[in-house]
Short mmCIF file of all heavy atoms in Angstrom, two decimals:
data_model
loop_
_atom_site.label_atom_id
_atom_site.label_comp_id
_atom_site.label_asym_id
_atom_site.label_seq_id
_atom_site.Cartn_x
_atom_site.Cartn_y
_atom_site.Cartn_z
N MET A 1 0.84 -1.20 0.00
CA MET A 1 0.00 0.00 0.00
C MET A 1 0.87 1.25 0.00
O MET A 1 1.83 1.34 0.77
CB MET A 1 -0.89 -0.03 1.24
CG MET A 1 -1.86 1.15 1.32
SD MET A 1 -2.92 1.00 2.76
CE MET A 1 -3.40 2.70 2.96
N ILE A 2 0.52 2.15 -0.88
CA ILE A 2 1.30 3.38 -0.97
C ILE A 2 0.58 4.50 -0.23
O ILE A 2 -0.60 4.75 -0.49
CB ILE A 2 1.52 3.78 -2.45
CG1 ILE A 2 2.25 2.65 -3.19
CG2 ILE A 2 2.30 5.09 -2.55
CD1 ILE A 2 2.16 2.76 -4.69
N VAL A 3 1.26 5.11 0.67
CA VAL A 3 0.65 6.21 1.41
C VAL A 3 1.26 7.52 0.91
O VAL A 3 2.48 7.71 0.93
CB VAL A 3 0.90 6.07 2.92
CG1 VAL A 3 0.32 7.27 3.65
CG2 VAL A 3 0.28 4.79 3.44
N THR A 4 0.39 8.37 0.42
CA THR A 4 0.88 9.67 -0.02
C THR A 4 0.27 10.74 0.85
O THR A 4 -0.91 10.71 1.16
CB THR A 4 0.51 9.94 -1.49
OG1 THR A 4 -0.87 9.63 -1.67
CG2 THR A 4 1.34 9.11 -2.44
N PHE A 5 1.07 11.66 1.25
CA PHE A 5 0.58 12.72 2.11
C PHE A 5 0.12 13.91 1.30
O PHE A 5 -0.77 14.62 1.70
CB PHE A 5 1.67 13.12 3.12
CG PHE A 5 1.95 12.03 4.10
CD1 PHE A 5 3.03 11.16 3.90
CD2 PHE A 5 1.13 11.83 5.20
CE1 PHE A 5 3.27 10.13 4.79
CE2 PHE A 5 1.38 10.80 6.10
CZ PHE A 5 2.46 9.94 5.89
N ALA A 6 0.72 14.08 0.15
CA ALA A 6 0.27 15.15 -0.72
C ALA A 6 -1.01 14.68 -1.41
O ALA A 6 -1.14 13.52 -1.79
CB ALA A 6 1.33 15.48 -1.76
N THR A 7 -1.96 15.56 -1.55
CA THR A 7 -3.19 15.22 -2.24
C THR A 7 -2.94 15.29 -3.74
O THR A 7 -2.46 16.29 -4.24
CB THR A 7 -4.31 16.20 -1.85
OG1 THR A 7 -4.43 16.19 -0.43
CG2 THR A 7 -5.62 15.79 -2.45
N GLN A 8 -3.28 14.20 -4.41
CA GLN A 8 -3.02 14.15 -5.84
C GLN A 8 -4.31 13.97 -6.61
O GLN A 8 -5.18 13.20 -6.21
CB GLN A 8 -2.07 12.97 -6.14
CG GLN A 8 -1.48 13.03 -7.52
CD GLN A 8 -0.78 11.72 -7.87
OE1 GLN A 8 -1.26 10.64 -7.58
NE2 GLN A 8 0.37 11.83 -8.51
N CYS A 9 -4.42 14.67 -7.71
CA CYS A 9 -5.57 14.55 -8.59
C CYS A 9 -5.47 13.25 -9.36
O CYS A 9 -4.43 12.95 -9.95
CB CYS A 9 -5.61 15.74 -9.54
SG CYS A 9 -6.90 15.62 -10.79
N ASP A 10 -6.55 12.48 -9.37
CA ASP A 10 -6.52 11.20 -10.06
C ASP A 10 -6.72 11.34 -11.56
O ASP A 10 -6.62 10.36 -12.29
CB ASP A 10 -7.59 10.26 -9.50
CG ASP A 10 -7.04 9.42 -8.37
OD1 ASP A 10 -6.29 8.49 -8.66
OD2 ASP A 10 -7.33 9.75 -7.21
N TYR A 11 -7.04 12.52 -12.01
CA TYR A 11 -7.23 12.70 -13.46
C TYR A 11 -5.94 13.17 -14.13
O TYR A 11 -5.47 12.56 -15.07
CB TYR A 11 -8.36 13.70 -13.72
CG TYR A 11 -8.72 13.78 -15.19
CD1 TYR A 11 -9.63 12.89 -15.74
CD2 TYR A 11 -8.12 14.74 -16.00
CE1 TYR A 11 -9.93 12.95 -17.09
CE2 TYR A 11 -8.43 14.79 -17.36
CZ TYR A 11 -9.33 13.90 -17.89
OH TYR A 11 -9.62 13.96 -19.22
N CYS A 12 -5.38 14.25 -13.63
CA CYS A 12 -4.19 14.80 -14.30
C CYS A 12 -2.90 14.39 -13.60
O CYS A 12 -1.81 14.68 -14.09
CB CYS A 12 -4.28 16.32 -14.40
SG CYS A 12 -4.17 17.17 -12.82
N ARG A 13 -3.04 13.71 -12.46
CA ARG A 13 -1.89 13.16 -11.75
C ARG A 13 -0.97 14.22 -11.16
O ARG A 13 0.14 13.92 -10.76
CB ARG A 13 -1.05 12.23 -12.65
CG ARG A 13 -1.83 11.05 -13.17
CD ARG A 13 -2.00 10.00 -12.11
NE ARG A 13 -3.02 9.02 -12.49
CZ ARG A 13 -3.56 8.16 -11.65
NH1 ARG A 13 -3.20 8.15 -10.40
NH2 ARG A 13 -4.48 7.33 -12.05
N SER A 14 -1.42 15.46 -11.15
CA SER A 14 -0.59 16.46 -10.49
C SER A 14 -1.18 16.74 -9.11
O SER A 14 -2.34 16.42 -8.83
CB SER A 14 -0.51 17.73 -11.33
OG SER A 14 -1.77 18.30 -11.50
N SER A 15 -0.40 17.30 -8.26
CA SER A 15 -0.85 17.47 -6.89
C SER A 15 -1.82 18.63 -6.77
O SER A 15 -1.80 19.57 -7.55
CB SER A 15 0.35 17.65 -5.96
OG SER A 15 1.17 18.68 -6.45
N ILE A 16 -2.68 18.50 -5.81
CA ILE A 16 -3.65 19.55 -5.52
C ILE A 16 -3.05 20.38 -4.39
O ILE A 16 -2.85 19.89 -3.28
CB ILE A 16 -5.01 18.95 -5.12
CG1 ILE A 16 -5.56 18.09 -6.26
CG2 ILE A 16 -5.99 20.05 -4.73
CD1 ILE A 16 -6.73 17.20 -5.86
N VAL A 17 -2.75 21.60 -4.70
CA VAL A 17 -2.04 22.42 -3.74
C VAL A 17 -3.01 23.25 -2.91
O VAL A 17 -4.18 23.42 -3.26
CB VAL A 17 -1.00 23.35 -4.42
CG1 VAL A 17 0.06 22.51 -5.13
CG2 VAL A 17 -1.67 24.29 -5.40
N SER A 18 -2.51 23.73 -1.83
CA SER A 18 -3.32 24.53 -0.92
C SER A 18 -3.96 25.71 -1.65
O SER A 18 -3.29 26.41 -2.41
CB SER A 18 -2.41 25.02 0.21
OG SER A 18 -3.06 26.01 0.96
N GLY A 19 -5.25 25.89 -1.45
CA GLY A 19 -5.96 26.99 -2.09
C GLY A 19 -6.76 26.56 -3.29
O GLY A 19 -7.68 27.26 -3.71
N GLN A 20 -6.43 25.39 -3.88
CA GLN A 20 -7.21 24.90 -5.01
C GLN A 20 -8.43 24.14 -4.50
O GLN A 20 -8.38 23.47 -3.46
CB GLN A 20 -6.35 23.96 -5.87
CG GLN A 20 -5.30 24.69 -6.69
CD GLN A 20 -4.49 23.71 -7.54
OE1 GLN A 20 -4.16 22.62 -7.09
NE2 GLN A 20 -4.17 24.11 -8.75
N LYS A 21 -9.51 24.26 -5.26
CA LYS A 21 -10.70 23.50 -4.90
C LYS A 21 -10.62 22.12 -5.51
O LYS A 21 -10.14 21.95 -6.62
CB LYS A 21 -11.95 24.23 -5.41
CG LYS A 21 -12.26 25.47 -4.60
CD LYS A 21 -13.53 26.13 -5.09
CE LYS A 21 -13.81 27.40 -4.29
NZ LYS A 21 -14.85 28.21 -4.93
N TRP A 22 -11.13 21.16 -4.77
CA TRP A 22 -11.11 19.79 -5.28
C TRP A 22 -12.33 19.05 -4.76
O TRP A 22 -12.98 19.48 -3.80
CB TRP A 22 -9.82 19.08 -4.89
CG TRP A 22 -9.55 19.02 -3.41
CD1 TRP A 22 -9.02 20.02 -2.64
CD2 TRP A 22 -9.79 17.94 -2.51
NE1 TRP A 22 -8.93 19.61 -1.34
CE2 TRP A 22 -9.38 18.33 -1.23
CE3 TRP A 22 -10.29 16.65 -2.69
CZ2 TRP A 22 -9.49 17.50 -0.12
CZ3 TRP A 22 -10.39 15.80 -1.58
CH2 TRP A 22 -9.98 16.24 -0.31
N VAL A 23 -12.65 17.97 -5.43
CA VAL A 23 -13.76 17.12 -5.01
C VAL A 23 -13.23 15.72 -4.78
O VAL A 23 -12.19 15.34 -5.32
CB VAL A 23 -14.89 17.07 -6.07
CG1 VAL A 23 -15.58 18.41 -6.19
CG2 VAL A 23 -14.36 16.62 -7.41
N ARG A 24 -13.96 14.98 -4.00
CA ARG A 24 -13.55 13.60 -3.79
C ARG A 24 -14.69 12.68 -4.17
O ARG A 24 -15.86 13.01 -4.04
CB ARG A 24 -13.10 13.37 -2.35
CG ARG A 24 -14.22 13.38 -1.35
CD ARG A 24 -13.68 13.13 0.04
NE ARG A 24 -14.82 13.00 0.98
CZ ARG A 24 -14.68 12.82 2.27
NH1 ARG A 24 -13.48 12.79 2.80
NH2 ARG A 24 -15.73 12.70 3.05
N GLU A 25 -14.31 11.53 -4.65
CA GLU A 25 -15.26 10.52 -5.07
C GLU A 25 -14.96 9.25 -4.29
O GLU A 25 -13.83 8.76 -4.32
CB GLU A 25 -15.11 10.27 -6.58
CG GLU A 25 -15.97 9.16 -7.11
CD GLU A 25 -15.65 8.84 -8.56
OE1 GLU A 25 -14.48 8.61 -8.89
OE2 GLU A 25 -16.57 8.86 -9.37
N LYS A 26 -15.97 8.76 -3.61
CA LYS A 26 -15.76 7.56 -2.80
C LYS A 26 -15.60 6.35 -3.71
O LYS A 26 -16.33 6.18 -4.68
CB LYS A 26 -16.95 7.37 -1.87
CG LYS A 26 -16.71 6.37 -0.77
CD LYS A 26 -17.89 6.39 0.19
CE LYS A 26 -17.64 5.41 1.33
NZ LYS A 26 -18.77 5.44 2.29
N ILE A 27 -14.64 5.54 -3.39
CA ILE A 27 -14.40 4.33 -4.18
C ILE A 27 -15.10 3.17 -3.48
O ILE A 27 -14.81 2.86 -2.34
CB ILE A 27 -12.89 4.04 -4.29
CG1 ILE A 27 -12.16 5.24 -4.88
CG2 ILE A 27 -12.65 2.79 -5.11
CD1 ILE A 27 -10.66 5.18 -4.65
N TYR A 28 -16.04 2.59 -4.18
CA TYR A 28 -16.74 1.44 -3.63
C TYR A 28 -16.01 0.19 -4.05
O TYR A 28 -15.90 -0.13 -5.22
CB TYR A 28 -18.18 1.42 -4.13
CG TYR A 28 -18.98 2.59 -3.61
CD1 TYR A 28 -19.21 3.70 -4.40
CD2 TYR A 28 -19.48 2.57 -2.30
CE1 TYR A 28 -19.93 4.77 -3.92
CE2 TYR A 28 -20.20 3.64 -1.82
CZ TYR A 28 -20.43 4.74 -2.62
OH TYR A 28 -21.14 5.81 -2.14
N ASP A 29 -15.50 -0.50 -3.08
CA ASP A 29 -14.74 -1.70 -3.37
C ASP A 29 -15.17 -2.77 -2.38
O ASP A 29 -14.95 -2.65 -1.18
CB ASP A 29 -13.24 -1.40 -3.25
CG ASP A 29 -12.39 -2.55 -3.75
OD1 ASP A 29 -12.94 -3.67 -3.92
OD2 ASP A 29 -11.19 -2.34 -3.96
N SER A 30 -15.78 -3.81 -2.89
CA SER A 30 -16.29 -4.86 -1.99
C SER A 30 -15.14 -5.57 -1.28
O SER A 30 -15.35 -6.21 -0.25
CB SER A 30 -17.12 -5.86 -2.78
OG SER A 30 -16.37 -6.37 -3.86
N ALA A 31 -13.95 -5.44 -1.80
CA ALA A 31 -12.80 -6.06 -1.15
C ALA A 31 -12.41 -5.31 0.11
O ALA A 31 -11.64 -5.82 0.93
CB ALA A 31 -11.62 -6.13 -2.11
N LEU A 32 -12.93 -4.13 0.26
CA LEU A 32 -12.56 -3.31 1.41
C LEU A 32 -13.61 -3.42 2.52
O LEU A 32 -13.77 -2.52 3.31
CB LEU A 32 -12.43 -1.83 0.99
CG LEU A 32 -11.26 -1.48 0.07
CD1 LEU A 32 -11.40 -0.05 -0.42
CD2 LEU A 32 -9.92 -1.65 0.78
N ASN A 33 -14.29 -4.51 2.57
CA ASN A 33 -15.35 -4.70 3.56
C ASN A 33 -14.94 -4.28 4.96
O ASN A 33 -14.01 -4.81 5.52
CB ASN A 33 -15.76 -6.18 3.59
CG ASN A 33 -17.07 -6.40 2.86
OD1 ASN A 33 -17.82 -5.46 2.66
ND2 ASN A 33 -17.32 -7.64 2.47
N GLY A 34 -15.70 -3.34 5.50
CA GLY A 34 -15.47 -2.95 6.88
C GLY A 34 -14.28 -2.05 7.08
O GLY A 34 -14.01 -1.62 8.20
N ARG A 35 -13.54 -1.78 6.04
CA ARG A 35 -12.37 -0.91 6.21
C ARG A 35 -12.74 0.53 5.87
O ARG A 35 -13.81 0.80 5.34
CB ARG A 35 -11.24 -1.36 5.29
CG ARG A 35 -10.73 -2.74 5.66
CD ARG A 35 -9.35 -2.93 5.08
NE ARG A 35 -9.09 -4.35 4.79
CZ ARG A 35 -8.14 -4.76 3.97
NH1 ARG A 35 -7.41 -3.88 3.32
NH2 ARG A 35 -7.93 -6.03 3.77
N ASP A 36 -11.85 1.39 6.17
CA ASP A 36 -12.08 2.80 5.84
C ASP A 36 -12.21 2.95 4.34
O ASP A 36 -11.45 2.35 3.58
CB ASP A 36 -10.89 3.66 6.32
CG ASP A 36 -10.90 3.80 7.84
OD1 ASP A 36 -11.95 3.54 8.45
OD2 ASP A 36 -9.85 4.15 8.39
N PRO A 37 -13.17 3.72 3.90
CA PRO A 37 -13.31 3.94 2.46
C PRO A 37 -12.15 4.77 1.93
O PRO A 37 -11.53 5.54 2.67
CB PRO A 37 -14.62 4.70 2.33
CG PRO A 37 -14.81 5.38 3.64
CD PRO A 37 -14.15 4.50 4.67
N SER A 38 -11.86 4.57 0.67
CA SER A 38 -10.83 5.41 0.06
C SER A 38 -11.49 6.30 -0.98
O SER A 38 -12.63 6.08 -1.39
CB SER A 38 -9.73 4.55 -0.56
OG SER A 38 -10.29 3.55 -1.38
N TYR A 39 -10.78 7.27 -1.40
CA TYR A 39 -11.35 8.29 -2.27
C TYR A 39 -10.44 8.60 -3.45
O TYR A 39 -9.23 8.50 -3.35
CB TYR A 39 -11.57 9.60 -1.48
CG TYR A 39 -12.54 9.45 -0.35
CD1 TYR A 39 -12.09 9.16 0.93
CD2 TYR A 39 -13.90 9.62 -0.56
CE1 TYR A 39 -12.98 9.01 1.99
CE2 TYR A 39 -14.80 9.49 0.48
CZ TYR A 39 -14.34 9.18 1.76
OH TYR A 39 -15.23 9.04 2.78
N HIS A 40 -11.08 8.95 -4.54
CA HIS A 40 -10.37 9.59 -5.65
C HIS A 40 -10.55 11.08 -5.49
O HIS A 40 -11.61 11.54 -5.06
CB HIS A 40 -10.97 9.16 -6.99
CG HIS A 40 -10.51 7.80 -7.43
ND1 HIS A 40 -11.27 7.00 -8.26
CD2 HIS A 40 -9.38 7.11 -7.17
CE1 HIS A 40 -10.61 5.87 -8.48
NE2 HIS A 40 -9.47 5.90 -7.84
N ARG A 41 -9.54 11.82 -5.84
CA ARG A 41 -9.63 13.28 -5.71
C ARG A 41 -9.38 13.92 -7.07
O ARG A 41 -8.54 13.44 -7.83
CB ARG A 41 -8.60 13.78 -4.70
CG ARG A 41 -8.85 13.25 -3.31
CD ARG A 41 -7.69 13.58 -2.39
NE ARG A 41 -7.88 13.02 -1.06
CZ ARG A 41 -7.62 11.76 -0.75
NH1 ARG A 41 -7.12 10.94 -1.64
NH2 ARG A 41 -7.83 11.32 0.48
N TYR A 42 -10.10 14.98 -7.32
CA TYR A 42 -9.98 15.67 -8.61
C TYR A 42 -10.03 17.17 -8.39
O TYR A 42 -10.73 17.66 -7.50
CB TYR A 42 -11.14 15.28 -9.54
CG TYR A 42 -11.27 13.80 -9.77
CD1 TYR A 42 -12.13 13.03 -9.01
CD2 TYR A 42 -10.49 13.18 -10.75
CE1 TYR A 42 -12.23 11.66 -9.21
CE2 TYR A 42 -10.59 11.81 -10.97
CZ TYR A 42 -11.46 11.06 -10.19
OH TYR A 42 -11.57 9.70 -10.38
N HIS A 43 -9.31 17.88 -9.25
CA HIS A 43 -9.43 19.34 -9.26
C HIS A 43 -10.87 19.72 -9.60
O HIS A 43 -11.45 19.17 -10.53
CB HIS A 43 -8.48 19.96 -10.30
CG HIS A 43 -7.04 19.84 -9.94
ND1 HIS A 43 -6.17 18.96 -10.58
CD2 HIS A 43 -6.30 20.51 -9.01
CE1 HIS A 43 -4.95 19.10 -10.05
NE2 HIS A 43 -5.00 20.01 -9.10
N ALA A 44 -11.43 20.67 -8.87
CA ALA A 44 -12.82 21.06 -9.10
C ALA A 44 -12.93 22.30 -9.98
O ALA A 44 -14.01 22.64 -10.44
CB ALA A 44 -13.51 21.30 -7.77
N GLU A 45 -11.82 22.95 -10.21
CA GLU A 45 -11.85 24.15 -11.05
C GLU A 45 -10.92 23.95 -12.24
O GLU A 45 -9.85 23.38 -12.10
CB GLU A 45 -11.41 25.37 -10.24
CG GLU A 45 -12.48 25.81 -9.24
CD GLU A 45 -12.05 27.02 -8.43
OE1 GLU A 45 -10.84 27.20 -8.23
OE2 GLU A 45 -12.94 27.77 -8.00
N PRO A 46 -11.36 24.42 -13.40
CA PRO A 46 -10.51 24.24 -14.59
C PRO A 46 -9.24 25.06 -14.51
O PRO A 46 -9.21 26.13 -13.89
CB PRO A 46 -11.40 24.71 -15.74
CG PRO A 46 -12.45 25.55 -15.12
CD PRO A 46 -12.62 25.09 -13.71
N PHE A 47 -8.19 24.55 -15.10
CA PHE A 47 -6.95 25.32 -15.22
C PHE A 47 -7.16 26.44 -16.23
O PHE A 47 -8.06 26.36 -17.07
CB PHE A 47 -5.81 24.42 -15.68
CG PHE A 47 -5.47 23.34 -14.70
CD1 PHE A 47 -5.66 22.01 -15.04
CD2 PHE A 47 -4.97 23.65 -13.44
CE1 PHE A 47 -5.36 21.00 -14.13
CE2 PHE A 47 -4.68 22.65 -12.53
CZ PHE A 47 -4.86 21.32 -12.87
N ALA A 48 -6.34 27.43 -16.17
CA ALA A 48 -6.43 28.55 -17.11
C ALA A 48 -6.35 28.03 -18.54
O ALA A 48 -5.47 27.23 -18.87
CB ALA A 48 -5.32 29.54 -16.83
N GLY A 49 -7.29 28.47 -19.38
CA GLY A 49 -7.26 28.08 -20.78
C GLY A 49 -7.94 26.76 -21.05
O GLY A 49 -8.00 26.32 -22.20
N GLN A 50 -8.47 26.12 -20.02
CA GLN A 50 -9.16 24.85 -20.24
C GLN A 50 -10.65 25.02 -20.00
O GLN A 50 -11.08 25.85 -19.20
CB GLN A 50 -8.59 23.78 -19.31
CG GLN A 50 -7.16 23.42 -19.66
CD GLN A 50 -6.70 22.14 -18.96
OE1 GLN A 50 -7.50 21.41 -18.40
NE2 GLN A 50 -5.41 21.89 -19.00
N GLU A 51 -11.43 24.19 -20.69
CA GLU A 51 -12.87 24.35 -20.61
C GLU A 51 -13.48 23.68 -19.39
O GLU A 51 -14.45 24.16 -18.82
CB GLU A 51 -13.52 23.79 -21.89
CG GLU A 51 -13.35 24.70 -23.08
CD GLU A 51 -14.12 24.21 -24.29
OE1 GLU A 51 -15.01 23.37 -24.12
OE2 GLU A 51 -13.80 24.66 -25.39
N GLY A 52 -12.94 22.58 -19.02
CA GLY A 52 -13.54 21.86 -17.92
C GLY A 52 -12.50 21.46 -16.88
O GLY A 52 -11.33 21.30 -17.18
N SER A 53 -12.96 21.31 -15.68
CA SER A 53 -12.07 20.87 -14.61
C SER A 53 -11.81 19.37 -14.74
O SER A 53 -12.49 18.67 -15.48
CB SER A 53 -12.71 21.16 -13.26
OG SER A 53 -13.88 20.37 -13.11
N CYS A 54 -10.83 18.91 -14.03
CA CYS A 54 -10.52 17.48 -14.04
C CYS A 54 -11.74 16.67 -13.62
O CYS A 54 -12.02 15.62 -14.18
CB CYS A 54 -9.36 17.20 -13.09
SG CYS A 54 -7.82 17.96 -13.62
N TRP A 55 -12.48 17.20 -12.67
CA TRP A 55 -13.67 16.50 -12.20
C TRP A 55 -14.71 16.39 -13.30
O TRP A 55 -15.29 15.33 -13.53
CB TRP A 55 -14.24 17.23 -10.98
CG TRP A 55 -15.59 16.78 -10.57
CD1 TRP A 55 -16.74 17.49 -10.63
CD2 TRP A 55 -15.95 15.48 -10.03
NE1 TRP A 55 -17.79 16.71 -10.17
CE2 TRP A 55 -17.33 15.49 -9.79
CE3 TRP A 55 -15.21 14.33 -9.74
CZ2 TRP A 55 -18.00 14.38 -9.27
CZ3 TRP A 55 -15.89 13.23 -9.23
CH2 TRP A 55 -17.25 13.25 -8.99
N GLU A 56 -14.95 17.51 -14.00
CA GLU A 56 -15.94 17.50 -15.08
C GLU A 56 -15.52 16.55 -16.20
O GLU A 56 -16.34 15.83 -16.76
CB GLU A 56 -16.14 18.91 -15.63
CG GLU A 56 -16.94 19.79 -14.66
CD GLU A 56 -16.85 21.26 -15.01
OE1 GLU A 56 -15.93 21.66 -15.74
OE2 GLU A 56 -17.70 22.03 -14.52
N LYS A 57 -14.25 16.55 -16.51
CA LYS A 57 -13.77 15.65 -17.57
C LYS A 57 -13.93 14.20 -17.15
O LYS A 57 -14.30 13.33 -17.93
CB LYS A 57 -12.31 15.96 -17.89
CG LYS A 57 -12.13 17.28 -18.61
CD LYS A 57 -10.66 17.54 -18.80
CE LYS A 57 -10.40 18.96 -19.25
NZ LYS A 57 -8.97 19.29 -19.19
N HIS A 58 -13.62 13.96 -15.89
CA HIS A 58 -13.77 12.61 -15.37
C HIS A 58 -15.23 12.17 -15.44
O HIS A 58 -15.54 11.05 -15.85
CB HIS A 58 -13.27 12.56 -13.93
CG HIS A 58 -13.67 11.31 -13.20
ND1 HIS A 58 -13.11 10.09 -13.48
CD2 HIS A 58 -14.58 11.10 -12.22
CE1 HIS A 58 -13.67 9.17 -12.69
NE2 HIS A 58 -14.57 9.76 -11.93
N GLU A 59 -16.13 13.06 -15.05
CA GLU A 59 -17.56 12.75 -15.10
C GLU A 59 -18.02 12.48 -16.53
O GLU A 59 -18.80 11.56 -16.77
CB GLU A 59 -18.36 13.92 -14.52
CG GLU A 59 -18.34 13.97 -13.02
CD GLU A 59 -19.22 12.87 -12.40
OE1 GLU A 59 -20.43 13.08 -12.31
OE2 GLU A 59 -18.67 11.83 -12.02
N MET A 60 -17.55 13.28 -17.47
CA MET A 60 -17.93 13.09 -18.86
C MET A 60 -17.45 11.75 -19.38
O MET A 60 -18.15 11.06 -20.11
CB MET A 60 -17.38 14.22 -19.73
CG MET A 60 -18.19 15.51 -19.60
SD MET A 60 -17.90 16.70 -20.91
CE MET A 60 -16.15 16.81 -20.98
N GLU A 61 -16.24 11.38 -18.99
CA GLU A 61 -15.71 10.10 -19.44
C GLU A 61 -16.54 8.96 -18.88
O GLU A 61 -16.80 7.97 -19.54
CB GLU A 61 -14.25 9.94 -19.00
CG GLU A 61 -13.31 10.74 -19.86
CD GLU A 61 -11.87 10.56 -19.43
OE1 GLU A 61 -11.60 9.76 -18.52
OE2 GLU A 61 -11.00 11.23 -20.01
N ARG A 62 -16.96 9.13 -17.64
CA ARG A 62 -17.75 8.09 -17.01
C ARG A 62 -19.12 7.99 -17.67
O ARG A 62 -19.63 6.91 -17.89
CB ARG A 62 -17.90 8.40 -15.51
CG ARG A 62 -18.17 7.18 -14.69
CD ARG A 62 -17.97 7.47 -13.23
NE ARG A 62 -18.81 8.58 -12.79
CZ ARG A 62 -19.00 8.87 -11.50
NH1 ARG A 62 -18.40 8.17 -10.59
NH2 ARG A 62 -19.77 9.87 -11.16
N GLU A 63 -19.70 9.16 -17.97
CA GLU A 63 -21.01 9.16 -18.63
C GLU A 63 -20.93 8.51 -20.00
O GLU A 63 -21.79 7.73 -20.37
CB GLU A 63 -21.53 10.60 -18.76
CG GLU A 63 -22.04 11.18 -17.47
CD GLU A 63 -23.20 10.37 -16.85
OE1 GLU A 63 -24.11 10.00 -17.60
OE2 GLU A 63 -23.16 10.12 -15.65
N SER A 64 -19.91 8.84 -20.75
CA SER A 64 -19.83 8.28 -22.10
C SER A 64 -19.51 6.78 -22.04
O SER A 64 -19.88 6.04 -22.93
CB SER A 64 -18.79 9.03 -22.92
OG SER A 64 -17.54 9.04 -22.29
N ALA A 65 -18.83 6.36 -20.97
CA ALA A 65 -18.56 4.94 -20.84
C ALA A 65 -19.85 4.18 -20.54
O ALA A 65 -19.97 3.01 -20.88
CB ALA A 65 -17.54 4.71 -19.72
N ARG A 66 -20.79 4.87 -19.91
CA ARG A 66 -22.04 4.25 -19.53
C ARG A 66 -23.02 4.22 -20.69
O ARG A 66 -23.97 3.47 -20.70
CB ARG A 66 -22.64 5.05 -18.37
CG ARG A 66 -23.36 4.22 -17.35
CD ARG A 66 -23.99 5.13 -16.31
NE ARG A 66 -23.09 5.45 -15.22
CZ ARG A 66 -23.19 6.57 -14.49
NH1 ARG A 66 -24.11 7.46 -14.78
NH2 ARG A 66 -22.36 6.80 -13.51
N MET A 67 -22.81 5.11 -21.66
CA MET A 67 -23.74 5.24 -22.77
C MET A 67 -23.53 4.17 -23.81
O MET A 67 -22.40 3.78 -24.09
CB MET A 67 -23.54 6.60 -23.44
CG MET A 67 -24.46 7.67 -22.90
SD MET A 67 -24.45 9.12 -23.97
CE MET A 67 -22.73 9.50 -24.14
N THR A 68 -24.61 3.72 -24.36
CA THR A 68 -24.54 2.83 -25.51
C THR A 68 -25.21 3.54 -26.68
O THR A 68 -26.35 3.99 -26.57
CB THR A 68 -25.26 1.50 -25.23
OG1 THR A 68 -24.81 0.98 -24.00
CG2 THR A 68 -24.98 0.51 -26.33
N VAL A 69 -24.50 3.65 -27.76
CA VAL A 69 -25.03 4.38 -28.91
C VAL A 69 -25.59 3.37 -29.91
O VAL A 69 -24.91 2.42 -30.31
CB VAL A 69 -23.94 5.24 -29.58
CG1 VAL A 69 -24.50 5.96 -30.80
CG2 VAL A 69 -23.38 6.23 -28.58
N PHE A 70 -26.83 3.61 -30.28
CA PHE A 70 -27.45 2.76 -31.28
C PHE A 70 -27.63 3.53 -32.58
O PHE A 70 -27.88 4.73 -32.55
CB PHE A 70 -28.83 2.29 -30.79
CG PHE A 70 -28.77 1.43 -29.56
CD1 PHE A 70 -28.98 2.00 -28.32
CD2 PHE A 70 -28.47 0.07 -29.65
CE1 PHE A 70 -28.92 1.21 -27.16
CE2 PHE A 70 -28.41 -0.70 -28.51
CZ PHE A 70 -28.64 -0.15 -27.26
N ALA A 71 -27.50 2.88 -33.66
CA ALA A 71 -27.74 3.51 -34.96
C ALA A 71 -28.91 2.81 -35.63
O ALA A 71 -28.95 1.58 -35.69
CB ALA A 71 -26.50 3.41 -35.83
N ALA A 72 -29.84 3.63 -36.13
CA ALA A 72 -31.02 3.06 -36.76
C ALA A 72 -30.78 2.90 -38.25
O ALA A 72 -30.02 3.68 -38.83
CB ALA A 72 -32.24 3.95 -36.53
ZN1 ZN B 1 -6.36 17.56 -11.95
#
């Protein structure tokens, strides 16, 4: 198990520094029965020049992974 003290964004892999907003997503893992839950962390605000934050991009990727596109 790797313990990191710096908070790291799971999307862009860079650290979340003091003053930046971030969100956390609980990881549901049945293997962790009864143990402390773990979290993914993401930047909540977009970087300068970018349209979406790491969190929004992560959400979009998850949504599109859930979608099934049919063609008539
Ligand atoms: Zn990030």
Side-chain angles (χ1 to χ4, degrees):
M1 182 177 158
I2 301 163
V3 177
T4 47
F5 293 97
T7 305
Q8 194 191 41
C9 174
D10 269 285
Y11 188 86
C12 68
R13 300 283 166 194
S14 62
S15 52
I16 299 166
V17 298
S18 168
Q20 287 181 320
K21 287 182 182 167
W22 58 279
V23 292
R24 72 180 186 182
E25 175 187 53
K26 194 172 181 179
I27 304 163
Y28 294 100
D29 189 345
S30 55
L32 292 171
N33 257 340
R35 295 200 209 161
D36 287 342
S38 50
Y39 297 93
H40 281 153
R41 297 171 183 81
Y42 304 95
H43 290 107
E45 287 180 333
F47 297 115
Q50 293 193 12
E51 285 186 17
S53 65
C54 295
W55 169 247
E56 286 165 342
K57 289 177 192 169
H58 166 71
E59 283 286 278
M60 282 197 311
E61 283 181 4
R62 205 166 57 167
E63 285 300 315
S64 55
R66 216 184 273 154
M67 267 193 307
T68 309
V69 178
F70 297 97

